[in-house]
């Protein structure tokens, strides 16, 4: 059973940076997708960024393009999300996910595994 564990959340002032990690155990991201989503209370979970593990293609939500960078480490079976120039509207619980099978997608419907989430709070 694949397990995903996020780390690196916290609180930061607007304009600051945070780096999130997503470590997988019991399976790998190879030939699948590692994606980040975020959610605030009362709203639907929204796509943030994704990397198609084997080909390396990357995708971003318009709201984070140019500020966030998704990356991976094959050796560590870990994905990352570097978040720069953070804004208060980036405040959310950030979830790591893995595609269900050999798939390259940004759609939450096709994610088979989810982490428990890590809180990111950006103060004004």
């Amino acid at each position: 059973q694949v397990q995903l564990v996020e780390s690196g959340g916290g609180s930061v002032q607007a304009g600051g940076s945070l780096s999130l990690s997503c470590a997988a155990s019991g399976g790998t991201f190879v030939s699948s997708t590692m994606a980040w989503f975020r959610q605030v209370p009362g709203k639907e979970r929204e796509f943030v960024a994704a990397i198609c593990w084997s080909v390396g293609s990357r995708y971003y939500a318009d709201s984070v393009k140019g500020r966030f960078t998704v990356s991976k480490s094959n050796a560590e079976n870990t994905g990352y999300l570097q978040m720069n120039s953070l804004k208060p509207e980036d405040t959310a619980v950030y979830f790591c996910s893995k595609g269900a099978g050999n798939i390259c997608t940004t759609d939450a419907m096709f994610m088979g595994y989810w982490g428990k989430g890590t809180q990111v709070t950006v103060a004004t």
Side-chain angles (χ1 to χ4, degrees):
Q1 179 73 3
V2 175
Q3 291 189 329
L4 305 177
V5 179
E6 304 97 337
S7 61
S11 298
V12 66
Q13 293 290 320
S17 299
L18 284 173
S19 181
L20 305 183
S21 299
C22 173
S25 61
T28 72
F29 289 110
V30 174
S31 299
S32 190
T33 305
M34 192 282 295
W36 293 94
F37 291 78
R38 66 188 182 187
Q39 189 170 24
V40 298
K43 292 190 176 182
E44 291 189 358
R45 193 168 295 189
E46 66 169 355
F47 168 74
V48 175
I51 184 166
C52 295
W53 200 265
S54 295
V55 299
S57 51
R58 307 178 191 196
Y59 304 89
Y60 298 95
D62 288 343
S63 59
V64 307
K65 207 169 289 184
R67 300 188 297 122
F68 289 12
T69 302
V70 62
S71 62
K72 65 183 178 78
S73 168
N74 290 326
E76 298 180 354
N77 202 27
T78 298
Y80 303 95
L81 184 68
Q82 177 65 40
M83 304 184 293
N84 299 327
S85 302
L86 282 161
K87 304 175 181 179
E89 52 262 45
D90 294 318
T91 295
V93 177
Y94 283 69
F95 296 89
C96 167
S97 62
K98 177 183 178 303
N102 297 347
I103 189 170
C104 181
T105 181
T106 61
D107 192 333
M109 183 181 301
F110 298 105
M111 298 298 161
Y113 305 91
W114 294 87
K116 293 182 179 180
T118 186
Q119 177 71 45
V120 170
T121 302
V122 184
T124 55

